[in-house]
Amino acid sequence: GTAYRLWSEQEHLRLAPQTEPEIAQADLAPLLLQLGAWGAGVSDEAAAALPWVTPPPAASLERARTLLSGLGALGGGAAALTPHGTALARLPAHPRLAHVLLRAAAAASGDAGGAALEVASAAVAVVEERDVLAGGGRAHG
């Protein structure tokens, strides 16, 4: 076959031979939360035991554990999920956003109209949606 480049030879020579694996760039908090929910564990040892094509960077795993601990999702020396962590894993959203929804639901239990949950749900829906004008992907920082 024939391949057509839509950039100059100079630009081509400046390109990296391959892109960095996504696991080296991604926020691993959702992955770590799901591993904990599946019973695989969230420790470095548990992550190292999995057959990765490219293993996740230790620093990224540590950042993910720090975030999940801050959200109250990890307990027992950050080795297992708490009940809150299990609830976070059940929601189809980034752990930060799932935490917002769970806290709003708890606040709404004392709120006759459920306004806290209504506002939080709308805010999470807006944040979860990618920017259709910019064509960008999701970013949860």
Side-chain angles (χ1 to χ4, degrees):
T2 303
Y4 294 97
R5 287 192 309 256
L6 300 177
W7 53 88
S8 71
E9 184 70 25
Q10 290 173 336
E11 288 177 276
H12 184 72
L13 293 174
R14 287 190 302 242
L15 293 174
Q18 62 220 14
T19 59
E20 186 177 24
E22 185 174 355
I23 200 161
Q25 305 169 22
D27 175 4
L28 300 182
L31 170 67
L32 207 59
L33 184 65
Q34 289 304 312
L35 288 175
W38 297 336
V42 296
S43 67
D44 281 335
E45 295 79 22
L50 296 171
W52 302 100
V53 173
T54 302
S60 297
L61 288 171
E62 187 55 37
R63 277 193 303 276
R65 266 192 296 278
T66 299
L67 171 65
L68 294 174
S69 292
L71 295 175
L74 299 180
L81 294 184
T82 62
H84 183 65
T86 302
L88 290 175
R90 287 189 188 124
L91 293 175
H94 186 279
R96 284 185 182 104
L97 300 176
H99 179 73
V100 168
L101 291 172
L102 290 176
R103 292 294 183 218
S109 65
D111 180 8
L117 184 56
E118 191 174 315
V119 170
S121 297
V124 166
V126 168
V127 171
E128 274 285 317
E129 186 59 37
R130 69 183 178 98
D131 185 352
V132 294
L133 296 177
R138 297 177 180 179
H140 302 291

